[in-house]
Amino acid sequence: MDLSRAPPEKIWRHLKESEQVRNSKFETRYARMNPPAELYRPVANLRTFGPNKGLLEGRRLSEGDIKGLTILVQFKDVKSNVTQEDVDRMLNGENYTENGNFCSAREYFRLMSGGKLNYTNVVVGPITLSKNRQYYANHLLVEEALDMAIDSGVDLKIFDSQDEGIVDAINFLYAGQTQYIGELWPHNYFLKLKRGNMKTHFYMLSSLGRSKEDMSIGTFCHENGHMLCRWPDLYDYGVRDGDFEKSAGLGYYCLMSAGNHNNNGRVPSPVCAYLRYLVGWCDNVVRLTRPE
């Protein structure tokens, strides 16, 4: 590239894709968050309609002892000095406050649920994939990473709390900073793979960071809010909301809007009362209507 030459016509700084193109990409990506609809059920979507229809379609695991599998992933060209022990403390630790985090992911869900959800994770890895990071922007890393974890001795049966032959939750955390491109974009998807007598269901993929100073619980809790509780996002989807009004949704006041980014993800907002009510976490309901 000759940097001394002028740019082509109609090319200017900060040029972005049109809103139509961006929305089309988002629609494709979010469609993969839901399992295929059964013949007798409506196609799932991400809108919130009220107490009976406010959750995403699919298997919900918002109470009891739930054990997730977290696989740490490295690339041939990108590594991290974050250790298995570092991640285990962030996900499972008691009185965890390292790096400015308010608490561990387990403690966050325990607090939000009033003790109804005990979500722990078995952390394995890091495992090193066969290609450089850029390759996995266009090729989903999930199947390769899962097979390598199984080959290392991981038994998927211990992650089936309902004894249904389905893995409750799988988290893939890749080395390096977050990549907002292709299949490396942090996401929560449905993917059906069969390994022995076990099937996968929902999984989450996000970044691990370059060092332990990058570690935060916000995105992990947000994506597991989708995966375990089937909560929708509560930020503005633009035209996907059925309107053309610009808004901030619930802004920084809920984990499932922009609240997972508070203090760089280290102090995520509480889950709003509406979403906690939908999964049965509100034991005391105060009705503000005046009695007749």
Side-chain angles (χ1 to χ4, degrees):
M1 178 182 293
D2 186 354
L3 298 180
S4 65
R5 298 175 60 183
E9 290 186 22
K10 298 183 179 180
I11 299 296
W12 54 89
R13 290 183 179 180
H14 311 302
L15 183 64
K16 296 181 180 180
E17 295 175 322
S18 69
E19 187 171 355
Q20 181 180 6
V21 171
R22 294 200 305 272
N23 279 332
S24 177
K25 289 183 177 180
F26 275 120
E27 287 168 4
T28 300
R29 190 157 55 89
Y30 276 111
R32 294 164 63 184
M33 289 177 62
N34 297 287
E38 298 177 25
L39 293 179
Y40 60 90
R41 298 176 72 180
V43 175
N45 58 55
L46 296 181
R47 297 179 180 175
T48 54
F49 291 107
N52 297 318
K53 298 181 180 179
L55 299 174
L56 303 179
E57 296 282 359
R59 188 171 184 256
R60 177 160 60 90
L61 299 167
S62 56
E63 294 188 9
D65 295 323
I66 306 299
K67 184 180 293 184
L69 168 62
T70 293
I71 302 174
L72 309 185
V73 177
Q74 298 187 143
F75 308 101
K76 284 188 67 177
D77 60 335
V78 180
K79 304 292 194 297
S80 172
N81 64 16
V82 179
T83 67
Q84 184 183 108
E85 291 74 20
D86 292 331
V87 178
D88 181 76
R89 288 196 302 274
M90 184 184 76
L91 299 187
N92 301 312
E94 295 183 10
N95 303 314
Y96 177 80
T97 58
E98 292 181 27
N99 201 30
N101 282 283
F102 179 76
C103 62
S104 67
R106 176 187 185 183
E107 194 72 357
Y108 179 87
F109 283 107
R110 188 191 67 79
L111 288 169
M112 292 300 105
S113 67
K116 292 183 178 181
L117 175 60
N118 179 33
Y119 178 45
T120 58
N121 271 267
V122 173
V123 182
V124 300
I127 61 175
T128 303
L129 300 179
S130 61
K131 303 287 196 303
N132 290 343
R133 180 172 66 184
Q134 185 58 40
Y135 173 85
Y136 297 98
N138 299 311
H139 301 83
L140 187 62
L141 62 81
V142 166
E143 188 166 2
E144 180 182 349
L146 178 62
D147 286 339
M148 293 180 72
I150 293 172
D151 289 344
S152 72
V154 170
D155 182 3
L156 297 182
K157 293 180 182 178
I158 69 173
F159 305 102
D160 177 17
S161 67
Q162 309 299 302
D163 197 24
E164 296 177 337
I166 298 174
V167 181
D168 288 341
I170 310 179
N171 301 286
F172 297 89
L173 301 179
Y174 61 79
Q177 292 179 301
T178 301
Q179 303 295 299
Y180 293 105
I181 53 173
E183 302 291 1
L184 293 176
W185 195 300
H187 64 258
N188 170 273
Y189 286 164
F190 171 85
L191 182 64
K192 187 175 181 178
L193 300 172
K194 188 169 184 180
R195 296 295 182 268
N197 295 324
M198 295 295 298
K199 293 182 292 187
T200 64
H201 201 65
F202 295 124
Y203 74 90
M204 182 276 280
L205 182 144
S206 188
S207 61
L208 181 61
R210 294 167 298 183
S211 66
K212 63 182 298 183
E213 287 71 30
D214 293 330
M215 295 174 61
S216 62
I217 65 171
T219 296
F220 185 92
C221 291
H222 176 99
E223 297 297 347
N224 275 272
H226 289 312
M227 182 161 54
L228 297 179
C229 302
R230 305 307 292 145
W231 289 325
D233 288 314
L234 293 184
Y235 50 76
D236 192 349
Y237 284 137
V239 296
R240 288 174 293 150
D241 290 334
D243 62 54
F244 294 88
E245 301 297 325
K246 298 286 186 180
S247 79
L250 282 189
Y252 291 93
Y253 298 101
C254 179
L255 174 75
M256 302 310 293
S257 51
N260 61 306
H261 297 300
N262 288 347
N263 191 22
N264 294 317
R266 295 175 175 87
V267 187
S269 293
V271 180
C272 67
Y274 169 69
L275 294 182
R276 285 186 283 123
Y277 174 67
L278 291 182
V279 295
W281 288 359
C282 293
D283 293 326
N284 298 316
V285 178
V286 178
R287 301 191 180 278
L288 300 180
T289 54
R290 180 179 300 175
E292 297 295 335

